[in-house]
Amino acid sequence: MTVTWPDEVDEILGGDLTAALAYGTPAGGAVVTAVAPIGLRDRALGTVGFTTSLGFGKKLERIKRNPKVALAFHAREHGLGDPLNRRYVLVQGTATFDAQPDRATLDRIGEQATPYLGAPRRGPFWDRWLSAYYADRVLVTVAVHRVVVWHNLGANSEREVYGEPLPAKDAAPQFPPAKGTGPRVDAGRAGRQAAKLPHHLLAYGQDDGFPAVLPVSVSGATPEGLRLVLPKSAPEGGRRAGLLSHSYRPALVGLETRQHTGWVEVTGRDALYAPHTRAGFVAPPNKTLLLLGNGFMARRGLKQATEQGLLDSLRADQAL
């Protein structure tokens, strides 16, 4: 059955400048990262979408292996919709993508992105420098299984569900990893960096295999981990989880992202998050510098993905 959603939710899916994507890990955890949805959705078909890069081949490879994903629409600033529409929207579904998009698809992505990200730079230098950045765009389409809506951005209201019902029970706590649950990177530093940013999201696996993503706040940090405050719907116990903290500006010019995988212990609405890995970047609030960086990162990412065989792996099934 095709899943649909009301107008006030469609406005959010069509207006938000960024969303948080969560996908599973082989160990039963989740990774959460920021993506650009650029208004990609079709209520008649029951799909939503986002764009990413072939240079992030590891992310696409994991989605290919386990296509159950979630998109959290969690922030209204700098988008095209009504900033007073404060609903928090979680979309869960099955993702597919074409690792060899044709020119028509790439052109359509560019046209769709312009109202959100601005017109692309053109000219002899930019056409050459950004060729990898624009040519390696990938359109990911998510067939929606359910849409969960809270009436505030803190996800502390009652939930409305469109599509498949939520699992009848929370996922059971997971067995601790063999290397232990404690931090493997500097938790104090991670907490200080995260606390400076306005948006924080925690992702973990549900009982039905879909990732869940909830907004959280960072209340402090100790050598044992980051102190988090969670919505009341968060499941208790310990489990592998991903944590994203980020900020962004109009047209996504000027970004800061702090991203972790690790272990979370939840008691009531309080949690201790022990980071095991860290990643992140800071992009300058200057479009020229940003595009120079995008071009460099795209070239490097494609080169690495090619050398590691990820591109061949992603394209193998589609070449048959």
Side-chain angles (χ1 to χ4, degrees), residues 170-258:
D170 289 334
Q174 294 177 322
F175 290 107
K179 296 181 180 180
T181 61
R184 301 176 194 170
V185 299
D186 188 332
R189 179 186 179 192
R192 291 190 296 272
Q193 291 177 329
K196 297 176 182 178
L197 303 174
H199 301 295
H200 312 279
L201 299 122
L202 184 77
Y204 55 89
Q206 286 184 174
D207 194 53
D208 60 359
F210 284 107
V213 187
L214 290 175
V216 300
S217 60
V218 178
S219 62
T222 69
E224 288 73 37
L226 285 71
R227 301 285 181 184
L228 306 179
V229 179
L230 282 64
K232 59 184 179 181
S233 56
E236 295 205 359
R239 67 195 71 245
R240 299 175 189 269
L243 181 66
L244 169 69
S245 301
H246 76 116
S247 66
Y248 67 103
R249 301 189 185 193
L252 298 182
V253 177
L255 307 169
E256 184 170 355
T257 297
R258 303 296 172 184

Side-chain angles (χ1 to χ4, degrees), residues 25 35 45 61 70 87 101 120 122 130 132 145 147 154 164 169 171 179 188 191 203 208 246 251 291 294 312 316 318:
T25 67
V35 295
L45 296 178
E61 186 178 48
R87 292 169 176 84
R122 296 299 185 193
L130 294 174
H145 288 236
V147 179
E164 294 181 5
K169 59 185 178 65
K179 296 181 180 180
D208 60 359
H246 76 116
L291 291 176
N294 285 344
D312 290 339
Q318 296 168 351

Side-chain angles (χ1 to χ4, degrees), residues 110-200:
E111 293 172 2
Q112 181 75 21
T114 296
Y116 302 85
L117 307 179
R121 290 282 179 92
R122 296 299 185 193
F125 170 77
W126 290 113
D127 289 347
R128 183 175 66 256
W129 182 251
L130 294 174
S131 59
Y133 176 71
Y134 291 128
D136 80 339
R137 293 288 89 191
V138 175
L139 172 63
V140 181
T141 301
V142 179
V144 177
H145 288 236
R146 75 170 62 91
V147 179
V148 189
V149 182
W150 290 262
H151 285 265
N152 57 62
L153 289 174
N156 283 312
S157 69
E158 294 300 316
R159 299 175 293 196
E160 296 176 357
V161 180
Y162 303 90
E164 294 181 5
L166 285 163
K169 59 185 178 65
D170 289 334
Q174 294 177 322
F175 290 107
K179 296 181 180 180
T181 61
R184 301 176 194 170
V185 299
D186 188 332
R189 179 186 179 192
R192 291 190 296 272
Q193 291 177 329
K196 297 176 182 178
L197 303 174
H199 301 295
H200 312 279

Side-chain angles (χ1 to χ4, degrees), residues 85-105:
N85 187 344
R86 309 295 287 175
R87 292 169 176 84
Y88 179 87
V89 178
L90 180 67
V91 178
Q92 296 172 315
T94 305
T96 57
F97 60 89
D98 183 357
Q100 302 182 86
D102 57 23
R103 174 49 56 185
T105 299

